[in-house]
Amino acid sequence: MKHLAGGIQWTVFLIASSIAAPIAIAHVFGMDAVATSLFMQRTIFVLGIACLIQAFLGHRMPINEGPAGLWWGIYVVYAGMVGIFYSTSTDALQALQSGMLYSGVLFIILAATGVITKMKALFTPAITFTYLLLLILQLSGTFIKGMMGVEEAGDHLDPIILGGSFVVLLITFIAMANKRPTVSKYAVLISILFGWGLFLLLGKTPTVAKVSDQFIQLPQLFVYGKPVWDGGVLVTAIFITFLLVANMLASIRVMEHLLTHSFNITPPDRLRQGAFASGFIHLIAGLFSAIGSVPISGSAGFVGTTRMHSIKPFIIGSGLLVLMTLFPSVMAFFAALPAPVAYAVTFAIFTKMVSMAFNELDADPEKERARQAVAFGLMVGVGTMFVPAESLSELPAIIASTLSNGLITGTILAILIEQFMIGRSKKKANH
C-alpha cells in the first residue's frame, strides 16, 4: 500500500514537472485545443515509457525523465522558421520528428563505442556544482513568475495567486520538515492536493476542457508524416545529443551522490545502459511525434525531500502515468492543475538541491582549481541568461539554441577551463 501511495505521488510529480513544455510548444506552433491535448498526451505517454525503460533496462535509479529543455528551445527556434525555411508548421514539426530519430541513433552509437563512459570523467564535483547551481538559477525566475501569476511580458502580479502560492510553499516546507515519516515522505502529494483545493476555493483553477468523445484514445504514430531527411536538423540533432549526454551524466552523478551519502546505497555503474536506453527513448519519441526527454536532476531533490529512494514507487508511478495518458478525460483533468501550485511545490524541492550543490563543491579535493572553473562557468552561464533571445535570432539554429541556454553554455565553459588547468598541472608535474 505504501508503494502505491508513493507511486501516486511520483505520478503527480511527473505530470506537474512535465506538463509545461508540451503546452508551451503547442502554443508557439499555434495548435488548437485538440491538437495541444493530443501533443501533451503523446509527450507524457513517451515520458512514462521512458521512465520504465530506464528503471528496468537503463540506469535503474529513480530519476524521472522530462522534456529536454534543449529540445524545447529547438522547437521554439524552428517555430520561428515557419514561413521562411518551412512552408507550414506541419513541415517544421515533421523535420523535428525526424530529428528525434537521428538523436536516438547517435545516442546508441555513443553508448556502443564507449564514448559515454569516457565523458563521465569530465563531471567532477566542480562541474556538477556549476551545472546544479546554473540549473537552479535558470529555473528560479520561472518559479517566481509562476508563483506571481505572471506568464508573459505585460502581465501584472496577481496578489491572490501570490498569496495562494506563498501558503502552498509554506505548507510544503512544513510537511517536508514534519517528524512523522507518513507526512514528510508524502509532502509533495499533500502540498499539491492542498494547493489544488485552495486555488479552487480562490477561483483560480483553469476549467477542465473536453477534448475528445472517446473514453480511451491510443497515441498516434508519425502524426506529422513519415520521417524525412533534413540536413539542418541532422546537424542540430548531433550537437544537441552531445549536450543531452552531458545533461544525462550530470543527473546520474547527482542521484548517485544522493543515494551514496544520504541513504548509504552504492548504485552500480550503468551509465552505458542508461545511454542505450536514452537512444531507444528518443526513437520512441520520434515514432510518437513527441518531445525528446532527458533524465531530470530535480528528481534528486524530490527523492531527498520525500526520503523515498526505493525504485518500486517510481515504477508504479511511471506505469500509472502511461495508463492515464490513454484516457483523454483524465489528461484534461490533470491539465487543469493550477500552474502556481506546481511552481510553489517545485520551488521548495529545488531548495534541497542548493545544499546538494554546495556539498558537491565541498567534496572537490582541488579547491582552488574548482573555484576558478566554477567562477568562469557561473559568470558566463548567468550572464548568458540575460541576453535577449531576439539578439541571437539571426544566428544558425544550433548556435542560437546553445547560446540562449546559460545552463549548457556555462557548464561547457567550466569543463573546458577545468580540463585546461588539469592538463597544465600534468605538464608541470612531468617537468
Side-chain angles (χ1 to χ4, degrees):
M1 187 65 189
K2 65 176 183 178
H3 288 324
L4 178 60
I8 293 170
Q9 181 169 240
W10 263 114
T11 303
V12 174
F13 176 69
L14 285 165
I15 291 174
S17 60
S18 305
I19 207 166
I23 291 174
I25 289 170
H27 176 72
V28 298
F29 275 97
M31 296 184 196
D32 59 24
V34 175
T36 299
S37 176
L38 292 174
F39 184 57
M40 184 174 72
Q41 177 207 28
R42 295 194 303 274
T43 296
I44 294 180
F45 173 79
V46 169
L47 292 180
I49 295 292
C51 291
L52 291 173
I53 289 173
Q54 289 287 15
F56 286 109
L57 305 172
H59 49 63
R60 292 185 180 173
M61 288 188 284
I63 306 175
N64 67 294
E65 295 274 325
L70 283 162
W71 278 122
W72 187 347
I74 289 295
Y75 268 87
V76 173
V77 169
Y78 273 73
M81 294 180 181
V82 175
I84 303 170
F85 294 108
Y86 299 97
S87 302
T88 64
S89 294
T90 302
D91 291 336
L93 288 165
Q94 185 181 23
L96 288 165
Q97 170 185 277
S98 303
M100 299 302 150
L101 302 176
Y102 304 155
S103 183
V105 172
L106 183 57
F107 254 114
I108 292 169
I109 292 170
L110 291 174
T113 55
V115 173
I116 295 280
T117 309
K118 292 175 182 175
M119 287 179 69
K120 188 177 183 180
L122 301 175
F123 282 82
T124 62
I127 302 305
T128 307
F129 169 80
T130 305
Y131 175 86
L132 279 177
L133 209 58
L134 283 172
L135 176 67
I136 293 159
L137 292 171
Q138 189 172 56
L139 293 176
S140 60
T142 305
F143 295 155
I144 295 297
K145 286 193 290 186
M147 289 165 63
M148 289 179 174
V150 177
E151 293 183 2
E152 52 191 45
D155 286 352
H156 296 287
L157 183 150
D158 188 324
I160 296 175
I161 289 180
L162 179 60
S165 299
F166 180 75
V167 172
V168 174
L169 184 63
L170 195 63
I171 291 295
T172 309
F173 279 124
I174 291 171
M176 282 163 54
N178 195 288
K179 292 181 180 179
R180 285 173 289 186
T182 50
V183 176
S184 59
K185 186 176 276 191
Y186 304 110
V188 173
L189 183 59
I190 291 167
S191 303
I192 285 178
L193 292 175
F194 170 83
W196 206 333
L198 175 63
F199 272 69
L200 192 63
L201 290 173
L202 295 173
K204 294 292 182 180
T205 53
T207 55
V208 179
K210 185 178 180 181
V211 295
S212 176
D213 293 325
Q214 293 178 276
F215 181 64
I216 294 178
Q217 189 168 16
L218 297 174
Q220 292 177 283
L221 302 176
F222 294 129
V223 174
Y224 308 113
K226 294 180 180 178
V228 293
W229 176 258
D230 189 309
V233 172
L234 174 63
V235 176
T236 301
I238 291 171
F239 192 71
I240 291 297
T241 303
F242 277 100
L243 297 179
L244 290 176
V245 167
N247 199 322
M248 181 189 74
L249 288 167
S251 297
I252 290 176
R253 172 85 173 78
V254 171
M255 183 58 77
E256 284 176 344
H257 186 273
L258 175 72
L259 294 176
T260 303
H261 293 85
S262 298
F263 301 102
N264 294 318
I265 297 170
T266 305
D269 187 352
R270 294 184 57 84
L271 185 59
R272 285 186 72 182
Q273 290 90 332
F276 272 118
S278 287
F280 287 114
I281 289 163
H282 268 74
L283 292 176
I284 293 169
L287 191 68
F288 284 99
S289 308
I291 312 166
S293 70
V294 70
I296 301 297
S297 302
S299 53
F302 178 82
V303 171
T305 298
T306 60
R307 311 296 296 171
M308 199 163 56
H309 58 81
S310 171
I311 200 166
K312 290 179 182 177
F314 176 73
I315 291 170
I316 292 170
S318 303
L320 287 173
L321 188 68
V322 173
L323 190 64
M324 281 169 45
T325 59
L326 306 181
F327 298 90
S329 55
V330 175
M331 288 306 299
F333 173 75
F334 274 98
L337 169 69
V341 173
Y343 285 124
V345 174
T346 310
F347 181 96
I349 290 170
F350 268 74
T351 58
K352 282 274 185 184
M353 294 187 68
V354 177
S355 60
M356 287 168 57
F358 281 98
N359 288 338
E360 278 287 322
L361 190 61
D362 290 340
D364 200 311
E366 297 288 342
K367 295 286 189 291
E368 189 57 35
R369 185 178 71 204
R371 286 167 186 159
Q372 287 183 44
V374 165
F376 276 100
L378 287 182
M379 287 186 70
V380 172
V382 174
T384 303
M385 294 176 194
F386 289 95
V387 178
E390 301 80 44
S391 304
L392 308 171
S393 59
E394 294 185 2
L395 295 173
I398 304 170
I399 299 172
S401 63
T402 305
L403 291 180
S404 63
N405 191 322
L407 170 64
I408 295 300
T409 306
T411 303
I412 289 174
L413 183 64
I415 289 173
L416 293 174
I417 294 291
E418 186 175 54
Q419 290 303 309
F420 171 74
M421 289 190 290
I422 289 171
R424 194 172 62 178
S425 297
K426 286 180 179 177
K427 282 183 181 180
K428 285 182 180 179
N430 292 334
H431 285 86

